[in-house]
Amino acid sequence: MKSNFIVSCQALEGEPLHSPFIMSKMALAAYEGGADGIRANSIIDIQAIKQEVDLPIIGIIKRVFEESEVFITPTFKEVDELVTEGVDIIAFDATLRERPDNLTLEEFVSVIKKNYPDQKFMADISTLQEALYAEELGVDYIGTTLVGYTKYTKGHDPLGTLENIAKKIKIPLIAEGNINTPQKARKALELGASAVVVGSAITRPKYITESFCEEIEKTYMLREKGSLL
């Protein structure tokens, strides 16, 4: 993949910007700002984005199952939908957590690669062990998307994990997850990432506003305690 800066244009149901039209305009804004690729969730959003920009797309479908914590392209059904629509890369949860289809990760990867041998796949992982295993199974890309988002990686440093993975794997590594400043994006590339995905820091104003509010609230609390003059 020649793209090295990818913008994730996603808004989940219940969020103010949840709309294919709005996500397509987010993608257009990202394109005009210099983005080389887009990561998008759902067929309807991907279709709308394609009408606005001609950029490589990492496609996912988020689908929640009560019996599993895996929700990023969790089963063959979501993969089939994305292949039918047509995306450059399909990303899926490649953690070692129990999958909703009761397949092991090895079985899942075997099925999707057998059915779609020409499709490029990206493994969203949270640990070095998961990255090495996904590479062994034959995926095309590794993404650090879930570092800090699995129960067993809470508090882990995404850039530290990325650096360790970059030293061990041979396939392209994509930095994603908590890359919330330009400086972190640059650092990820310096540490060995082939590309960087940035999402919330660009396309989720509710999240961005909350982060500002949290810091401002901290300032007021310090003032009330008399520790900030």
Side-chain angles (χ1 to χ4, degrees):
M1 186 173 62
K2 296 180 180 179
S3 307
N4 58 22
F5 181 51
I6 300 155
V7 175
S8 181
C9 299
Q10 299 181 46
L12 300 179
E13 189 172 350
E15 294 184 4
L17 301 189
H18 179 63
S19 158
F21 173 77
I22 293 175
M23 287 304 103
S24 72
K25 294 304 180 183
M26 283 286 189
L28 179 59
Y31 167 74
E32 292 183 355
D36 303 301
I38 301 294
R39 177 164 165 139
N41 168 44
S42 83
I43 299 302
I44 192 169
D45 280 11
I46 291 169
Q47 290 173 340
I49 288 168
K50 285 181 176 179
Q51 296 299 312
E52 292 287 351
V53 300
D54 183 19
L55 289 174
I57 293 177
I58 299 175
I60 64 171
I61 294 176
K62 290 182 175 178
R63 194 159 283 158
V64 175
F65 293 83
E66 290 185 3
E67 68 274 17
S68 174
E69 296 177 344
V70 172
F71 64 91
I72 299 176
T73 320
T75 73
F76 181 79
K77 182 179 186 295
E78 289 77 47
V79 173
D80 186 57
E81 291 174 17
L82 289 164
V83 171
T84 301
E85 171 56 33
V87 293
D88 298 270
I89 299 171
I90 293 175
F92 64 91
D93 185 313
T95 63
L96 298 180
R97 297 177 293 183
E98 185 175 349
R99 308 187 69 82
D101 52 14
N102 294 319
L103 296 179
T104 65
L105 181 62
E106 180 178 5
E107 290 169 337
F108 176 74
V109 174
S110 176
V111 168
I112 62 177
K113 286 176 62 65
K114 179 180 179 181
N115 282 272
Y116 303 114
D118 297 324
Q119 176 66 55
K120 299 296 184 183
F121 290 102
M122 171 176 163
D124 287 345
I125 56 81
S126 67
T127 67
L128 170 60
Q129 176 192 8
E130 291 169 350
L132 293 172
Y133 188 46
E135 181 181 41
E136 182 183 327
L137 293 179
V139 301
D140 302 285
Y141 305 93
I142 298 293
T144 57
T145 316
L146 294 169
V147 177
Y149 293 101
T150 55
K151 291 179 179 178
Y152 46 90
T153 62
K154 292 291 185 183
H156 287 204
D157 173 26
L159 289 178
T161 301
L162 181 141
E163 183 177 17
N164 291 333
I165 294 172
K167 294 175 181 177
K168 299 288 186 179
I169 66 171
K170 296 181 174 62
I171 60 176
L173 175 61
I174 299 177
E176 182 175 4
N178 287 305
I179 308 296
N180 53 14
T181 68
Q183 292 74 26
K184 286 184 180 180
R186 184 181 64 199
K187 185 65 175 178
L189 292 171
E190 292 172 352
L191 292 174
S194 300
V196 176
V197 178
V198 177
S200 297
I202 296 175
T203 60
R204 296 178 72 187
K206 177 177 178 287
Y207 165 85
I208 297 167
T209 303
E210 287 173 346
S211 65
F212 274 91
C213 288
E214 287 174 6
E215 291 304 314
I216 290 170
E217 183 64 24
K218 289 177 185 177
T219 301
Y220 278 108
M221 290 177 65
L222 289 172
R223 282 179 177 172
E224 289 177 1
K225 292 179 178 179
S227 56
L228 183 66
L229 299 177

